[in-house]
Amino acid sequence: MVGMLRLIASARKGGISAAESFCSCGRYETARSNARVLALIAAHHAHRAQCPLQTEGRNAA
Ligand SMILES: [Zn+2]
């Protein structure tokens, strides 16, 4: 497992209020609004395909 994405749900609004993206290569990002969280999730998944440490998952369907 190279990267990790943690989502923090908002009890008030029922959406995702914050998120943190970690990666073993040292990449770390946070987001604190719904729009930014969605962008962070997309960037996190995109990074997994680009990460220099990523050596697995190329065969995943
Ligand atoms: Zn990485």
Side-chain angles (χ1 to χ4, degrees):
M1 185 175 186
V2 174
M4 183 169 66
L5 183 66
R6 189 169 94 178
L7 302 179
I8 301 154
S10 170
R12 287 183 303 173
K13 296 183 180 180
I16 300 170
S17 62
E20 294 176 319
S21 173
F22 302 91
C23 188
S24 297
C25 70
R27 187 177 188 275
Y28 173 70
E29 291 187 14
T30 60
R32 288 201 170 255
S33 74
N34 205 313
R36 284 181 174 269
V37 166
L38 294 177
L40 184 144
I41 293 169
H44 178 82
H45 288 300
H47 176 76
R48 291 183 66 178
Q50 300 172 354
C51 181
L53 296 182
Q54 179 73 19
T55 58
E56 300 179 17
R58 293 198 174 203
N59 294 329

